[in-house]
Amino acid sequence: QVQLVESGGGLVQTGGSLTLSCAASGDTLDSYAVGWFRQAPGKEREAVSCITSRDGATYYSDSLKGRFTISRDEAKKTVYLQLNSLRPEDTALYSCAARPLIITNVERMCLVQRIGDDWGQGTQVTVSS
């Protein structure tokens, strides 16, 4: 089991950038898939991007590919999400989650919800027009 803490959110203007961090404690991340998800008010949670620490395999939501980049630093037990060219519609609570690789892969981490995943509390991103 891992405990996750997100940081890096904030208020940014349209076109701006932010780097979100998902720091883990407890187990190391090399046996987990980690994903970034977001939920805007009144909308369902959607997957943004997922990564496996072990080999760096990544998966991106088709609609967000090209503007967002996921990466990891195993030594720091942290997964990052670089947000570029931000738009008002990117405003949401961004949360990270982890799931053991023994029961998932990077694509399923993003596409299949599972009760029992480890979640952080989220970090708010607000993009002003």
Side-chain angles (χ1 to χ4, degrees):
Q1 190 174 15
V2 292
Q3 293 77 46
L4 303 172
V5 177
E6 303 93 334
S7 62
L11 175 64
V12 64
Q13 292 184 333
T14 296
S17 298
L18 285 172
T19 301
L20 308 183
S21 299
C22 172
S25 59
D27 284 348
T28 58
L29 288 180
D30 61 355
S31 59
Y32 287 84
V34 178
W36 280 99
F37 301 81
R38 69 183 188 181
Q39 187 166 20
K43 294 187 177 181
E44 292 188 357
R45 184 167 62 202
E46 64 172 333
V48 176
S49 182
C50 296
I51 190 168
T52 56
S53 287
R54 182 174 298 166
D55 59 6
T58 59
Y59 179 89
Y60 290 92
S61 165
D62 285 342
S63 63
L64 301 173
K65 193 180 299 183
R67 294 194 297 124
F68 295 177
T69 303
I70 195 169
S71 62
R72 91 283 192 206
D73 184 328
E74 290 188 46
K76 295 183 178 179
K77 296 170 66 175
T78 300
V79 173
Y80 303 97
L81 185 68
Q82 176 69 36
L83 313 177
N84 295 324
S85 302
L86 283 163
R87 306 165 181 169
E89 55 264 37
D90 295 319
T91 295
L93 181 69
Y94 286 71
S95 303
C96 61
R99 185 184 305 165
L101 279 172
I102 196 170
I103 57 171
T104 197
N105 57 38
V106 67
E107 185 174 355
R108 286 179 60 84
M109 178 67 200
C110 266
L111 298 181
V112 180
Q113 296 187 35
R114 173 184 174 268
I115 296 173
D117 286 346
D118 297 314
W119 284 90
Q121 82 290 347
T123 185
Q124 179 67 38
V125 172
T126 302
V127 185
S128 63
S129 56

